[in-house]
Amino acid sequence: MNTPLHTNPDHVHSHFGFALADSTVLAETKVIISNPEDTQVVQLDIDPERRLKDGRKVSVVAQQMNAPLHRKEATILYGEEFGFVQYTVNLRPESTFTLAPIEGIDQSIQLHWANFAEGEYELRISLHIKTPRIAEGPLEPEQHAMVKYAQVVTVAICLFPADAVQRSTEPEAVWTRENHVFDSYGSGGFILADLPRMAKRVEALIGPGNHNLIEQIAEGDLSDTLLDEGLMAMAWGLSPWCYSIYSAPDEASGLKLSVDKLGDEPLTIGLYRLNAESKQLSIVPVNELANWPACAEKAWPVINVAGEGETLRMDLYVQICESVNGLHENPLPSFVLTRSEGRPEAIVPLIDVVVVD
């Protein structure tokens, strides 16, 4: 395995990444820094306390940045921090970075960072674990094993100039809990809705009282109206799985999300109209719509949709955890929401999306 480097559009931050089905194989892995003229190499543990031995699906993201990612923002993007180490290293323009050894993988992994200004840098490595929101409530005994299977570990490696922190105070965290939701969704999928506006419109269209909105939406007229008026977006029909839903707080902050590491290209793209006044959308599992309006009164996870405009784009990326340790490969699917100016002429809903065969 030798995943090529991806560079994001502003050509400032170099992003590199891959994913494996079992974090255990990375517990002994080191970042190896070498220079062509030196016989000695620098070897730095990515997990000095061997916490990766408690195996989970794992994604590795390596970023070369002008300044480090705020630790609170890393927690929002990748989940709770459970390991942290930082090294000071001296680099030359020809320095190279390698990850090795990785149990079960013969070749080393090259981080194609290059053209360093000679000097002192900081190499920050943090371990994170994201857990589906469903686990924040009470769980049945049999659900604990399911939650562990759903959890995803991220090894976040960040290289930045040593004087970056001295040059300026660390900026405040911009990413918040309302910019990333990781949760489990059944085969029905989910809707994104401005629930107060949607509830008023539904009552005006089909009257007060209890309704099964799954049936109403499936018939077409109600869904056409709600979609046309920008009160609802949907992923109607999904592989039952855990999904991340990201929505950056602004364009600059969006560059911190290694989109190209979530998957090479979007698996599919949805395009929706969004009410100009809507700034926050509730994420409601489709099966809950059978009990309307009771489901509209529940406290659902919300996602902010910053910016202006009436266009909402939903890109679905799928990163594959490669098979190791006898474990089958697994998908890591992520929806990335982007709001933009204008109003789309056509609505392109996501329907019957398959990420697991």
Side-chain angles (χ1 to χ4, degrees):
M1 181 176 65
N2 197 345
T3 307
L5 174 72
H6 292 255
T7 303
N8 73 4
D10 71 344
H11 300 291
V12 175
H13 305 158
S14 296
H15 297 329
F16 174 92
F18 60 93
L20 302 171
D22 187 1
S23 63
T24 304
V25 301
L26 292 172
E28 307 284 342
T29 299
K30 303 177 188 300
V31 176
I32 302 172
I33 306 172
S34 59
N35 295 289
E37 298 177 359
D38 292 344
T39 57
Q40 292 185 333
V41 298
V42 177
Q43 300 191 35
L44 306 171
D45 280 304
I46 69 168
D47 180 22
E49 298 181 354
R50 304 298 185 257
R51 294 183 175 180
L52 294 175
K53 285 186 176 293
D54 187 15
R56 300 289 197 284
K57 295 184 287 290
V58 60
S59 176
V60 178
V61 176
Q63 298 172 294
Q64 182 183 349
M65 307 181 77
N66 291 330
L69 185 65
H70 196 294
R71 289 177 72 174
K72 289 183 179 179
E73 291 191 314
T75 298
I76 296 297
L77 290 171
Y78 306 129
E80 179 183 359
E81 183 183 289
F82 69 97
F84 181 90
V85 64
Q86 186 162 314
Y87 304 99
T88 301
V89 296
N90 288 289
L91 301 181
R92 301 175 185 173
E94 65 274 13
S95 296
T96 61
F97 285 76
T98 303
L99 294 179
I102 300 176
E103 183 183 341
I105 297 177
D106 294 335
Q107 68 269 38
S108 58
I109 304 297
Q110 305 294 325
L111 304 185
H112 297 282
W113 294 337
N115 300 321
F116 304 103
E118 185 166 347
E120 196 171 81
Y121 289 76
E122 296 294 321
L123 183 68
R124 176 179 293 184
I125 304 171
S126 54
L127 308 181
H128 302 265
I129 186 165
K130 63 180 180 181
T131 302
R133 294 277 183 100
I134 191 175
E136 294 177 359
L139 296 175
E140 298 296 330
E142 64 272 13
Q143 290 181 298
H144 289 280
M146 296 172 62
V147 167
K148 180 177 179 179
Y149 179 76
Q151 288 175 317
V152 179
V153 165
T154 295
V155 179
I157 305 172
C158 181
L159 179 74
F160 56 93
D163 64 353
V165 177
Q166 287 77 19
R167 281 191 273 111
S168 62
T169 57
E170 188 173 30
E172 292 186 6
V174 178
W175 283 80
T176 71
R177 180 177 166 85
E178 284 72 42
N179 296 115
H180 176 207
V181 174
F182 178 61
D183 215 347
S184 172
Y185 300 100
S187 59
F190 60 86
I191 67 167
L192 301 170
D194 185 333
L195 280 180
R197 288 187 171 88
M198 177 176 167
K200 289 181 181 179
R201 191 67 175 118
V202 168
E203 183 172 336
L205 290 168
I206 62 176
N210 298 326
H211 300 282
N212 184 334
L213 284 200
I214 299 176
E215 296 177 353
Q216 296 274 358
I217 289 174
E219 290 174 1
D221 290 344
L222 179 62
S223 62
D224 289 346
T225 300
L226 296 177
L227 290 169
D228 184 65
E229 296 181 5
L231 300 176
M232 178 182 73
M234 61 170 64
W236 194 270
L238 281 176
S239 297
W241 206 253
C242 283
Y243 296 79
S244 274
I245 304 175
Y246 295 98
S247 180
D250 53 57
E251 186 175 353
S253 299
L255 298 176
K256 299 174 184 177
L257 178 63
S258 303
V259 170
D260 55 351
K261 296 281 71 67
L262 304 177
D264 290 334
E265 296 290 342
L267 176 69
T268 187
I269 298 171
L271 200 62
Y272 301 92
R273 291 173 184 157
L274 181 63
N275 185 287
E277 301 300 319
S278 297
K279 302 297 182 183
Q280 194 174 74
L281 303 176
S282 296
I283 307 171
V284 183
V286 163
N287 64 289
E288 292 283 343
L289 298 177
N291 300 304
W292 184 273
C295 79
E297 298 168 1
K298 294 183 179 181
W300 298 108
V302 296
I303 191 89
N304 290 343
V305 281
E308 305 295 332
E310 297 180 57
T311 297
L312 181 68
R313 174 171 164 156
M314 291 177 61
D315 289 16
L316 175 60
Y317 292 88
V318 181
Q319 185 183 36
I320 299 299
C321 293
E322 299 194 33
S323 174
V324 289
N325 258 3
L327 298 178
H328 295 295
E329 65 179 30
N330 269 292
L332 297 179
S334 300
F335 289 96
V336 179
L337 309 183
T338 308
R339 185 176 194 162
S340 59
E341 297 284 354
R343 179 181 173 90
E345 292 184 7
I347 296 169
V348 183
L350 296 178
I351 298 175
D352 295 333
V353 177
V354 177
V355 299
V356 181
D357 293 330

